[in-house]
Amino acid sequence: MLFNSYIFIFAFLPITFFIYFYLNKKRLTEASKGFLVFSSLFFYSWWNIIYLPIILSSILFNYLVGSILSKSSEGAKKFRKKSILLFGIILNILLLMYFKYSDFFIENINFIANTQIDLLKLTLPLAISFFTFQQIAYLVDSYRGETKEYDFLNYSLFVTFFPQLIAGPIVHHKEMMSQFTTKKNKIINYTNIALGLFIFSIGLFKKVVIADTFAVWATAGFDTIATLNLIEAWATSLSYTFQLYFDFSGYADMAIGAALLFNIKLPINFNSPYKALNIQDFWKRWHITLSRFLRDYIYIPLGGNRKGNIRTYNNLLATFIIGGIWHGAGWTFVFWGLLHGLALVIHRLWQSLNYKMNSILAWFITFNFINIAWVFFRARNWDDAIKVLSSMFDFNNIVLSERLTKKLGFLSEYGIIFSNVTEHIGDGSKVLNWIIGAFILLLIFKNSNQKIVSSTLTNIHSLTIMHAMYFAILFMFSILYMSMSSYTEFIYFNF
Amino acid sequence: MKNKKIVFTFIITSIVLVVLFFSILFIYDPLKVFHKPWMNKEYLQLNMREQAAGIINNWEYDSVILGTSILECTSSKEASNKLGGKFINISLAGSYFFERAIILKYLLKKKPIKKILYSLDTIGLTDTGKSDGTFKIDSWSYLYDNNRLNDFKAYINNKYLKCLFSLSSKRKCFGRKVNFDRPNSWHEFPDQAIRFGGLNNWFNAKENPQIKHAFSMILDSIQNIKKGQIHFDNNLAANIKASEKYIDENLIKYIKQYPNTKFIFILPPYSRIQFAINAQYNKSSFERYKASVRYLVSKSNKFENLLIYGWGNHSFVDNIANYKDPQHFEYKINSWMLDAISREEGLLTSTNIDVYLDIFSNKSLNYDLYDLGNKINNYLNPMKPKKIKGY
């Protein structure tokens, strides 16, 4: 079930909300939790019920391993405890590798050894990357003695809670478990409902109005058109850059909004990432909960920055290559991770020189690096990536708007063509206007979390009736737009 | 308490917006699906697949002309006078039987229908297509179910919402002024009308897409006949069976279900050129066509409310002057067909079908396509007149 579907917005969400609080009102706390788990699994199974046994087995296995780890006393043999943790992590990774990376592995074996092993062609169970990482974190924390003993129902709710199940935010048991057990969260809280509805509306708008509009041009440029002119190539890459942000942050907003209806506060996942002035700053703002996971459970255990510069650089590269391959089984994802790892190494080297860069230049370099790196992230294969990238720098294939012929006609001597600028990917002026609009929206305005959640939490009385009317219009506009949109699925559902 | 108010304001505003939005759409109703127009009464949208729903829902009639472009120029007033009843013309250009069945089903359920004038186009008799690809079924079929609420879908798209929010009075927003007698008739359009009168008028309109297509179809067919590459497939028997099933599902089913409705089926009298191409080149299609006609005629024995008319044996079919392209004839022939039906001329029955098809086949097989091909070639390539050798 998609957040941006009528069935979710007008049936699943309100029905789940009312039954959950009704059960709580009747003091049937365990039943309410059980109901929320059931609803979440129903939500998950809506796509394909064959995935259900996989997630259930994963939950049961990790709960058992986590319980053993958290029950082991301080004095328990460290070796035994570590062995259990390793067993747990390895099985989680094997599950992920089997479903997500088997074919990638076989393809590479076939390529290197010139063999013809048949691909398994497994369907990737939805959300497997997310719930696997979330549970690995749980196991590590249990090993470290940072988890309390929770019952199976609470644990199941922690993993399956529908707003964050499919594409994050990757939540930490510490920030979730206590919320599920707090008594005051069992009663309807109108402030949270108002905030939840508002932020859900923003997320829906981001997804269906903005991301899905850019999706059309990005898809045309990457997947359909064989050759692009310079402006089309830039429009294609920027369209994807904006699509990805509005799609994923829209999803995160909807997840945060839906969770707030149940008095659960999910961690923010985006904080205006395209305003970042360096790559480190970007990763503090982009997919924050994944960055946190990579830092706490990969980078730091590898040694972080405590073992000298060379080791730090290696750790950064390793962490980001793992981050890249987490997103998808393909060399383009590995390369994307490597690029980001290298950028972070370069950033550290630059920092060590103690030079301060002009902010505008810093933003320009950072944004363009991110935009170019997304080309590898998006492209279905190397050829598509090279097609877009080479066109972005092909100064022999420049097409300018016909409207500029009078003023810049002399440039035709240098091979510049005056025609429909983005003829192949969509209506030229529309594409360019939307790209300019997206830049303005992202660089000048506050993001949805700053605008609503933070400001309201600091001043609970800041919400007004006008807010309600404004967001209702935004919500209904998005609903209307939704019915006309052809793109529906969230990009991160594939990861 | 204040935040409770805010939540309710959000919900109430959303509900008000929904009600307001749908109320405005209801009033606007450019396809006249919900009510007879309160303004722009003479306006209809061009796309009859969508527009027919409004006509069916809100106009007065007891008989219907449901053809393709072949019957678009048939006057409903004239049909009413000559055949009795009160006709409306909701012919869908280029439609398959399958598409028209969606409308037929809805129409027959809506109210008692006395007569249905229906064209049995070759495309329906020789193809079991479910959609022609241009007009996606899903984009309009919901207008013909029993759920009136989903009809709003027709307006929730860029076209109509832009019209609505910009308060545009453009033609595309309200449709164009039409003569309800034959809303989508094309016989008065200059680019169509000038092509009647003979081959020279086709030549004068050689840039017209229909003429271009016609010339290329004629010349290609001749070339293929010359090379002996006659189109004949080995699955003819299976294809004929498939056509029979298709006819059963999309036509006979309704004939059986509505015995009080008279179904008047006409075999469009395309020009002999078209029939000759089928007979001489698209042989399997031609055989399938004849088999389907036989099948329908055999059904007319069983169902008294089914009448099938054909005039493919008449000489007016041989006269190119009556046609603007190989298929479409002058509106006078539409008029003549109504007269013929009223006096039961051309009614095909099990007693005359063999004779009819023999004459029809012989005339089509003996038509001199090569002569026509030479004329076209000579016109298109005046410097190098090319003679296509005869049979």
Side-chain angles (χ1 to χ4, degrees):
Chain A
M1 204 180 298
L2 296 167
F3 285 169
N4 57 327
S5 65
Y6 295 117
I7 186 86
F8 177 81
I9 295 170
F10 296 115
F12 178 83
L13 190 58
I15 290 170
T16 308
F17 173 85
F18 284 116
I19 296 178
Y20 175 72
F21 283 108
Y22 175 78
L23 292 170
N24 276 314
K25 199 178 174 184
K26 296 285 172 191
R27 297 183 188 283
L28 298 167
T29 314
E30 291 304 299
S32 73
K33 267 190 246 169
F35 172 73
L36 210 46
V37 172
F38 170 79
S39 304
S40 299
L41 291 172
F42 175 80
F43 169 84
Y44 182 78
S45 307
W46 186 263
W47 278 277
N48 197 337
I49 201 160
I50 60 161
Y51 303 142
L52 189 61
I54 297 165
I55 190 172
L56 285 175
S57 314
S58 171
I59 291 169
L60 185 63
F61 170 76
N62 284 295
Y63 175 71
L64 292 173
V65 175
S67 298
I68 295 168
L69 286 170
S70 58
K71 273 179 194 165
S72 302
S73 62
E74 285 292 317
K77 279 188 181 171
K78 206 174 175 186
F79 175 73
R80 185 176 158 268
K81 212 173 161 184
K82 203 165 192 171
S83 303
I84 296 169
L85 173 68
L86 275 176
F87 170 70
I89 292 175
I90 287 168
L91 267 189
N92 272 298
I93 291 172
L94 280 178
L95 179 79
L96 188 60
M97 285 190 71
Y98 175 69
F99 281 106
K100 195 163 178 174
Y101 303 107
S102 298
D103 282 351
F104 177 58
F105 187 68
I106 294 169
E107 274 172 6
N108 284 291
I109 294 273
N110 283 342
F111 179 74
I112 294 164
N114 203 19
T115 52
Q116 294 206 324
I117 305 167
D118 289 337
L119 300 181
L120 301 180
K121 291 183 179 164
L122 299 168
T123 313
L124 183 67
L126 198 67
I128 192 168
S129 308
F130 284 91
F131 67 70
T132 304
F133 265 34
Q134 193 162 314
Q135 294 187 102
I136 287 175
Y138 175 74
L139 295 185
V140 174
D141 291 346
S142 299
Y143 169 78
R144 291 172 180 165
E146 292 172 4
T147 57
K148 289 179 191 169
E149 195 182 326
Y150 297 103
D151 63 26
F152 183 63
L153 196 58
N154 276 322
Y155 180 76
S156 302
L157 189 53
F158 154 65
V159 180
T160 63
F161 184 49
F162 71 87
Q164 53 85 43
L165 172 62
I166 309 298
I170 302 172
V171 289
H172 213 283
H173 66 94
K174 275 187 287 195
E175 61 205 358
M176 297 300 287
M177 295 296 207
S178 56
Q179 295 194 69
F180 289 131
T181 49
T182 305
K183 276 190 181 168
K184 69 169 186 175
N185 284 351
K186 307 285 178 197
I187 47 176
I188 287 179
N189 177 328
Y190 284 100
T191 305
N192 283 341
I193 295 173
L195 276 176
L197 291 173
F198 295 172
I199 201 156
F200 187 90
S201 305
I202 292 178
L204 188 65
F205 182 85
K206 279 181 177 176
K207 164 65 186 161
V208 301
V209 179
I210 307 177
D212 287 354
T213 301
F214 279 117
V216 177
W217 305 320
T219 305
F222 274 104
D223 303 340
T224 315
I225 313 303
T227 50
L228 300 160
N229 66 49
L230 185 130
I231 292 180
E232 279 175 334
W234 278 96
T236 298
S237 72
L238 288 170
S239 290
Y240 183 67
T241 294
F242 295 135
Q243 182 204 348
L244 183 62
Y245 171 70
F246 286 110
D247 189 282
F248 196 18
S249 76
Y251 174 87
D253 285 347
M254 281 187 263
I256 290 168
L260 269 174
L261 299 180
F262 296 86
N263 296 322
I264 303 295
K265 291 186 177 75
L266 294 179
I268 65 160
N269 223 9
F270 292 90
N271 184 19
S272 302
Y274 293 149
K275 283 180 187 166
L277 298 183
N278 60 60
I279 196 67
Q280 192 182 35
D281 188 22
F282 172 75
W283 279 104
K284 285 180 182 165
R285 294 162 172 266
W286 177 272
H287 204 173
I288 296 167
T289 56
L290 175 68
S291 309
R292 184 175 69 174
F293 179 91
L294 294 173
R295 183 194 64 205
D296 293 348
Y297 299 98
I298 297 174
Y299 178 67
I300 292 174
L302 284 172
N305 58 2
R306 291 161 305 177
K307 297 187 176 175
N309 283 342
I310 300 295
R311 184 70 185 270
T312 305
Y313 302 149
N314 282 337
N315 291 343
L316 279 171
L317 286 174
T319 304
F320 275 87
I321 287 170
I322 291 170
I325 205 156
W326 175 84
H327 282 91
W331 286 109
T332 48
F333 285 108
V334 175
F335 188 66
W336 171 80
L338 176 70
L339 282 177
H340 274 269
L342 283 171
L344 278 154
V345 169
I346 292 167
H347 173 67
R348 283 191 88 88
L349 286 167
W350 174 263
Q351 271 185 321
S352 66
L353 297 174
N354 276 330
Y355 287 125
K356 191 160 170 59
M357 191 183 283
N358 171 282
S359 296
I360 294 172
L361 182 62
W363 172 82
F364 182 80
I365 292 171
T366 308
F367 180 81
N368 278 292
F369 166 75
I370 293 161
N371 181 47
I372 288 169
W374 284 140
V375 171
F376 293 97
F377 187 87
R378 167 60 177 82
R380 291 171 303 183
N381 50 48
W382 289 106
D383 289 343
D384 283 350
I386 299 302
K387 172 191 78 180
V388 175
L389 262 184
S390 58
S391 303
M392 283 166 78
F393 297 98
D394 182 2
F395 294 98
N396 292 321
N397 192 5
I398 300 176
V399 176
L400 295 179
S401 169
E402 280 166 324
R403 280 179 289 180
L404 297 171
T405 317
K406 269 190 180 174
K407 287 180 183 172
L408 301 173
F410 65 93
L411 289 173
S412 53
E413 284 177 32
Y414 302 97
I416 291 173
I417 298 162
F418 291 86
S419 180
N420 183 352
V421 183
T422 56
E423 185 186 358
H424 301 106
I425 63 167
D427 176 352
S429 56
K430 194 176 171 189
V431 180
L432 299 179
N433 287 342
W434 273 74
I435 287 173
I436 292 165
F439 269 121
I440 293 169
L441 199 63
L442 292 173
L443 300 179
I444 296 176
F445 289 92
K446 285 181 179 176
N447 64 55
S448 47
N449 284 297
Q450 290 166 321
K451 201 145 182 73
I452 303 183
V453 182
S454 310
S455 61
T456 310
L457 291 179
T458 48
N459 177 12
I460 206 143
H461 302 295
S462 61
L463 293 180
T464 63
I465 298 288
M466 284 308 290
H467 276 115
M469 294 171 81
Y470 165 72
F471 284 110
I473 292 168
L474 195 72
F475 176 68
M476 290 316 300
F477 183 77
S478 308
I479 293 286
L480 184 62
Y481 214 90
M482 208 165 95
S483 62
M484 297 189 292
S485 172
S486 51
Y487 283 81
T488 49
E489 215 164 85
F490 291 93
I491 293 172
Y492 261 70
F493 280 22
N494 301 316
F495 302 143
Chain B
M1 197 58 198
K2 185 191 161 199
N3 287 335
K4 192 173 179 178
K5 261 188 193 168
I6 287 172
V7 171
F8 282 104
T9 307
F10 179 91
I11 294 166
I12 289 164
T13 308
S14 301
I15 293 168
V16 167
L17 284 172
V18 170
V19 172
L20 196 68
F21 176 70
F22 285 104
S23 304
I24 293 170
L25 281 186
F26 182 85
I27 295 164
Y28 171 43
D29 193 22
L31 290 170
K32 286 90 179 162
V33 176
F34 300 112
H35 54 83
K36 250 196 157 172
W38 297 329
M39 49 188 178
N40 297 314
K41 291 185 181 175
E42 306 87 21
Y43 287 65
L44 285 178
Q45 296 288 342
L46 181 66
N47 182 353
M48 191 54 85
R49 283 162 175 79
E50 292 179 350
Q51 183 58 82
I55 299 174
I56 293 169
N57 291 347
N58 294 300
W59 263 255
E60 283 177 19
Y61 59 93
D62 60 24
S63 299
V64 176
I65 301 166
L66 183 57
T68 56
S69 53
I70 289 299
L71 292 185
E72 281 182 321
C73 300
T74 301
S75 157
S76 46
K77 269 185 204 160
E78 197 179 349
S80 306
N81 291 337
K82 291 177 177 170
L83 307 179
K86 187 169 173 44
F87 274 89
I88 50 163
N89 190 337
I90 51 168
S91 295
L92 314 182
S95 55
Y96 280 94
F97 291 172
F98 170 75
E99 292 176 276
R100 279 185 274 167
I102 294 169
I103 295 177
L104 203 54
K105 185 180 173 188
Y106 180 71
L107 178 72
L108 291 164
K109 263 193 181 172
K110 193 87 189 161
K111 62 175 169 180
I113 301 294
K114 286 184 184 166
K115 294 184 182 88
I116 288 176
L117 186 59
Y118 192 101
S119 60
L120 295 170
D121 301 74
T122 306
I123 192 178
L125 297 176
T126 61
D127 193 334
T128 53
K130 293 275 178 186
S131 167
D132 70 358
T134 313
F135 303 101
K136 305 271 183 244
I137 298 293
D138 291 346
S139 70
W140 55 271
S141 59
Y142 56 84
L143 290 165
Y144 303 92
D145 59 19
N146 292 324
N147 180 359
R148 195 50 80 79
L149 278 179
N150 70 2
D151 293 356
F152 281 107
K153 260 168 69 179
Y155 302 141
I156 301 178
N157 52 50
N158 274 329
K159 177 185 164 187
Y160 288 122
L161 290 182
K162 267 186 191 168
C163 287
L164 189 65
F165 291 121
S166 62
L167 301 175
S168 171
S169 58
K170 280 183 187 166
R171 187 172 145 152
K172 67 170 185 178
C173 299
F174 287 95
R176 74 243 188 277
K177 203 169 182 178
V178 295
N179 178 356
F180 274 87
D181 185 35
R182 36 189 161 191
N184 276 4
S185 73
W186 38 260
H187 68 285
E188 283 170 344
F189 296 161
D191 67 322
Q192 315 269 340
I194 55 162
R195 284 186 270 144
F196 293 108
L199 188 60
N200 279 338
N201 289 345
W202 287 23
F203 289 151
N204 293 337
K206 65 177 180 185
E207 292 307 318
N208 181 288
Q210 284 179 326
I211 293 296
K212 274 186 173 175
H213 173 73
F215 284 169
S216 112
M217 178 181 71
I218 294 163
L219 296 176
D220 288 351
S221 302
I222 294 169
Q223 281 302 320
N224 284 321
I225 294 166
K226 247 177 85 180
K227 288 181 201 161
Q229 292 171 346
I230 306 301
H231 197 268
F232 200 94
D233 77 62
N234 296 325
N235 296 326
L236 183 61
N239 286 336
I240 288 172
K241 278 278 162 218
S243 278
E244 288 175 0
K245 191 168 173 259
Y246 188 66
I247 288 166
D248 283 344
E249 285 170 358
N250 296 298
L251 297 172
I252 303 298
K253 183 177 155 186
Y254 302 104
I255 293 162
K256 195 174 170 185
Q257 207 175 335
Y258 294 93
N260 296 325
T261 302
K262 192 184 267 187
F263 290 83
I264 303 165
F265 287 0
I266 64 139
L267 292 163
Y270 302 132
S271 75
R272 186 70 65 205
I273 299 165
Q274 183 64 57
F275 288 133
I277 288 171
N278 291 351
Q280 296 171 34
Y281 168 58
N282 286 323
K283 280 187 182 292
S284 47
S285 173
F286 192 65
E287 292 306 316
R288 198 172 169 185
Y289 174 84
K290 288 194 294 180
S292 294
V293 172
R294 271 183 212 283
Y295 181 71
L296 273 158
V297 170
S298 74
K299 291 287 175 185
S300 70
N301 276 346
K302 194 175 169 189
F303 301 107
E304 282 185 3
N305 58 331
L306 171 59
L307 302 169
I308 298 157
Y309 288 88
W311 303 281
N313 51 352
H314 278 243
S315 56
F316 73 82
V317 177
D318 303 312
N319 185 0
I320 201 169
N322 290 325
Y323 295 85
K324 72 176 175 90
D325 59 47
Q327 285 114 29
H328 297 94
F329 40 80
E330 253 193 314
Y331 78 96
K332 285 173 191 163
I333 292 176
N334 294 73
S335 192
W336 178 86
M337 288 193 305
L338 293 174
D339 284 326
I341 294 167
S342 68
R343 57 177 185 263
E344 296 198 341
E345 182 185 343
L347 180 66
L348 301 177
T349 63
S350 52
T351 49
N352 68 12
I353 185 65
D354 290 335
V355 177
Y356 170 79
L357 286 178
D358 279 350
I359 298 170
F360 169 69
S361 299
N362 287 335
K363 283 193 164 199
S364 303
L365 281 166
N366 295 328
Y367 182 81
D368 190 355
L369 274 176
Y370 279 42
D371 179 52
L372 177 68
N374 283 332
K375 283 176 184 163
I376 295 170
N377 256 329
N378 292 342
Y379 181 80
L380 295 178
N381 306 298
M383 300 304 287
K384 294 185 270 181
K386 217 161 120 186
K387 177 106 176 134
I388 300 172
K389 283 181 187 170
Y391 296 86

